[in-house]
Amino acid sequence: MEKCKIKIINQSKYSLPQYQTQGSAGMDLYADINKNILLKPGERVLIPTGIFISMPIGYEAQIRARSGLSIKHGITLINGIGTIDSDYRGEIKIIVINLGQEDYVFQPGERIAQMVIKKYIMAEWELVDHLDQTPRGVGGFGHSGK
Ligand SMILES: O=c1ccn([C@H]2C[C@H](O)[C@@H](COP(=O)(O)OP(=O)(O)OP(=O)(O)O)O2)c(=O)[nH]1
Ligand SMILES: [Mg+2]
């Protein structure tokens, strides 16, 4: 794909977002903070990453939690998966919540989340009165059993 552009304002203390292994889908994002941030259980905070990006039209970036932080400390993203639009030019920030039972301290430069670049399709609507029939019909929310 065409290269994505990136601008970094984090005093170059941290490197470009990195894929940690050849096969990693996500690249880790760093907390661009100059002092520790303490998050008590149940609290949420917006953490800056120091990066601004520009992707070709048709691509989005998804911000996802890191499983290690989630299982060990209950740290996750309150918005589920963060959506970074291709036309967004602001700083990427991470909305984290502490769902654990203990305080968690974010340190400067810590890897707080990961970012996956994805293609998306822009849908067009066709307004109709009736939708086609399917075997599932209106069944959902577990109607097929456990
Ligand atoms: O975890 C996130 C989610 C979003 N954003 C930025 C990039 C995204 O393009 C913009 C808007 O996000 P979203 O559409 O999810 O939020 P909104 O509440 O709908 O805001 P807006 O009205 O600006 O679209 O905020 C982040 O930096 N981190
Ligand atoms: Mg929006």
Side-chain angles (χ1 to χ4, degrees):
M1 76 180 266
E2 190 186 317
K3 283 194 175 155
C4 296
K5 299 189 174 59
I6 183 162
K7 187 174 94 179
I8 302 186
I9 53 143
N10 58 13
Q11 309 112 49
S12 302
K13 261 192 303 189
Y14 317 119
S15 55
L16 287 173
Q18 304 267 336
Y19 294 104
Q20 298 293 320
T21 67
Q22 278 259 319
S24 291
M27 51 191 116
D28 287 338
L29 299 177
Y30 305 94
D32 186 34
I33 49 181
N34 49 28
K35 56 180 193 310
N36 289 352
I37 294 179
L38 185 144
L39 204 59
K40 293 186 189 308
E43 280 186 352
R44 59 184 189 265
V45 70
L46 193 58
I47 301 190
T49 63
I51 65 166
F52 300 66
I53 67 174
S54 151
M55 295 166 283
I57 291 271
Y59 289 86
E60 58 149 344
Q62 295 188 351
I63 308 298
R64 304 185 188 171
R66 293 189 65 211
S67 57
L69 276 180
S70 303
I71 185 67
K72 288 185 207 143
H73 304 287
I75 297 296
T76 192
L77 308 185
I78 198 167
N79 54 344
I81 294 179
T83 303
I84 310 300
D85 302 290
S86 67
D87 58 355
Y88 176 68
R89 295 293 172 268
E91 181 175 10
I92 295 182
K93 296 185 180 174
I94 314 297
I95 312 165
V96 292
I97 184 165
N98 182 354
L99 296 181
Q101 269 136 26
E102 299 188 352
D103 291 357
Y104 185 79
V105 176
F106 290 99
Q107 295 174 345
E110 176 172 347
R111 289 177 291 142
I112 45 172
Q114 57 188 319
M115 179 166 74
V116 177
I117 308 287
K118 305 263 302 174
K119 269 189 174 163
Y120 68 86
I121 292 169
M122 203 162 216
E124 285 176 36
W125 294 111
E126 178 188 347
L127 192 59
V128 296
D129 290 327
H130 302 285
L131 299 174
D132 58 318
Q133 308 257 324
T134 69
R136 172 184 286 276
V138 297
F141 314 101
H143 95 294
S144 63
K146 260 193 175 179

